[in-house]
Amino acid sequence: MTELSLGLGIGSLVVLIAVLAVRASVRLGLPSLLLYLGIGLLLGEAGFGILFSDARLTQYLGLAALVVILAEGGLTTRWTNVRPALGLGIAMSTVAVAVSIGVTGAGLHLLLGLDWRTALLWGAVVSSTDAAAVFSVLRGLGVHRRISGTLELESGLNDAPVYIAVVLLAGSDPVSWWTPGLVVYELAVGAVVGIALGWFGSQALRRAALPATGLYPLATVAVCVLAYSAGQELHASGLLATYVAGLVLGNARLPHRADTLSFVEGLGWLSQIGLFVLLGLYASPGRLPSVIVPALITGAVLVLLARPLSVFASALPFRVPWREQVFLSWSGLRGAVPIVLALIPVTEEVPGAQQLIDVVFVLVVVLTLIQGTTLPLVARVLGLVRRGEPQEIQVDAAPLDELGAELLQVRVPDGSKLHGVYISELRLPVGATVSLVVRGRSGFTPQMTTRVQVGDQLLIVTTEDVREVAERRIRAVDRAGRYARWKGELGD
């Protein structure tokens, strides 16, 4: 019992310190993952002396955390934000990955003298952008939706092909002519599994009258984790299935959506904290100085050559302006994913694998310091920051089963075209009405002449049969204003 209480105490202290570190990282302008890694290093062999060197357990726990992070990324990604970037995002997560692996591998073969298979393995490990880093940095940056949507899709989708490439290159089997077909199969089946389970999960959750609100978030996350398991059992990409299932569920009209998103956001933070602290605990600081030179060479090849070429190859069919290409090239943020992937060669006992994980650890720290802290400046210099970029309106639904009705809770964000619209101009369908407006700290029953303001919260009561029509109308006015229908905006 003493060990249990001590372990729980240390764990709770780490979480509390990590939560406070988020506020400190915002003030200092540093990505929080560096502080989490620092906590792990402080607890490890060079600090308090906790010895942890189980590579296989670290890999398993890292993949489990990555599954939760991808689920959170999919659930919190709005389809309306990423739809304009769908083609470019898919190209960045497939074509760009292949180009990056090839260019990085060739550069390391020439500069570091690695054999071709080892060089390509190194290139594959460092070619994945990190979902946690991208989601935490970009969503508050205010860049154009096509850019942020592209990077969100890339970071959510590219873990799958990179993971497949690392597993293939770390294995002993020769790479043959049918290997590309195997990769296509794993990605295609993983996507289908994610779509299927996401759709079935959303239908089940909409029809289930669960006895407690807190069960809806649990069931939603469970569907995403089930998608990973199903994908892996079918010898497909479980990581891709997880993200796609989350994307489908997150854009379905689920009951208690706001509660679900709040829960998965907290779960995502907990996974990030645990993952980075674990990786810091696993690292051996005494070995890191000896790999600084190869790490810097690898980083230079990746950032100055491989990433720009991969972005150019992916963006060529889409006629992306050069400013956006420069920003996309600089936005390839690395985080925990490359370190987790580097553990695969260690568990497979690939020669030189320990050097690889040390190189990747140094590389992630250096690139995070350089890219993560300068990304807002680069966006401003390139003229890509849009002041007051409107946020997607949040609409939460709670069922009233006995009445055959639902409550829609609408929060009016900055930049919304709902601002200044009269209640009468919402033109909600018969069966839906705005029953309450909360403004500041007071609430009141609105009249038809009441004008909506930024910061308002609207409570709308609607019957089940017109709920979807009412929500589409609200979203349409949010995007295009009182004349939304004339402008062709239907709120889909």
Side-chain angles (χ1 to χ4, degrees), residues 130-179:
D130 189 75
V134 170
F135 294 150
S136 62
V137 173
L138 285 178
R139 290 181 178 177
L141 204 55
V143 296
H144 192 279
R145 285 185 177 181
R146 184 174 75 165
I147 302 174
S148 60
T150 297
L151 291 169
E152 284 195 34
L153 277 177
E154 179 197 15
S155 62
L157 297 174
N158 70 359
D159 291 341
V162 170
Y163 177 81
I164 295 171
V166 171
V167 171
L168 289 173
L169 292 169
S172 57
D173 296 334
V175 178
S176 59
W177 62 269
W178 50 265
T179 299

Side-chain angles (χ1 to χ4, degrees), residues 155-375:
S155 62
L157 297 174
N158 70 359
D159 291 341
V162 170
Y163 177 81
I164 295 171
V166 171
V167 171
L168 289 173
L169 292 169
S172 57
D173 296 334
V175 178
S176 59
W177 62 269
W178 50 265
T179 299
L182 175 64
V183 174
V184 171
Y185 162 82
E186 293 196 17
L187 296 178
V189 174
V192 171
V193 169
I195 293 172
L197 283 178
W199 186 82
F200 281 114
S202 66
Q203 296 300 310
L205 287 170
R206 289 178 62 184
R207 287 166 171 76
L210 299 180
T213 302
L215 294 176
Y216 286 93
L218 288 176
T220 303
V221 174
V223 171
C224 296
V225 177
L226 180 62
Y228 172 80
S229 178
Q232 292 297 109
E233 290 300 315
L234 291 173
H235 301 286
S237 175
L239 296 177
L240 182 60
T242 301
Y243 181 74
V244 172
L247 190 61
V248 174
L249 282 167
N251 288 275
R253 293 180 174 88
L254 299 178
H256 303 290
R257 172 182 165 80
D259 294 322
T260 298
L261 296 185
S262 179
F263 174 81
V264 298
E265 184 180 10
L267 200 59
W269 275 109
L270 183 61
S271 298
Q272 291 181 50
I273 292 169
L275 177 54
F276 290 120
V277 171
L278 178 68
L279 294 176
L281 189 63
Y282 176 81
S284 179
R287 295 196 307 263
L288 300 182
S290 63
V291 298
I292 290 178
V293 172
L296 294 178
I297 292 175
T298 303
V301 172
L302 179 66
V303 174
L304 301 180
L305 191 62
R307 178 70 179 180
L309 288 177
S310 64
V311 169
F312 176 77
S314 303
L316 191 60
F318 302 96
R319 299 180 180 179
V320 179
W322 70 269
R323 293 177 184 272
E324 295 184 13
Q325 290 193 42
V326 172
F327 183 77
L328 291 173
S329 299
W330 193 248
S331 301
L333 302 176
R334 268 69 187 177
V337 177
I339 305 177
V340 174
L341 294 177
L343 289 166
I344 297 176
V346 175
T347 58
E348 295 294 328
E349 299 181 352
V350 175
Q354 192 59 61
Q355 182 190 20
L356 171 59
I357 196 170
D358 294 337
V359 165
V360 171
F361 192 92
V362 173
L363 178 67
V364 167
V365 172
V366 172
L367 292 187
T368 301
L369 278 172
I370 296 175
Q371 292 178 288
T373 56
T374 60
L375 199 58

Side-chain angles (χ1 to χ4, degrees), residues 468-480:
E468 293 188 6
V469 177
E471 186 172 340
R472 285 200 299 269
R473 175 60 184 170
I474 294 167
R475 293 190 184 280
V477 178
D478 168 62
R479 298 172 191 163

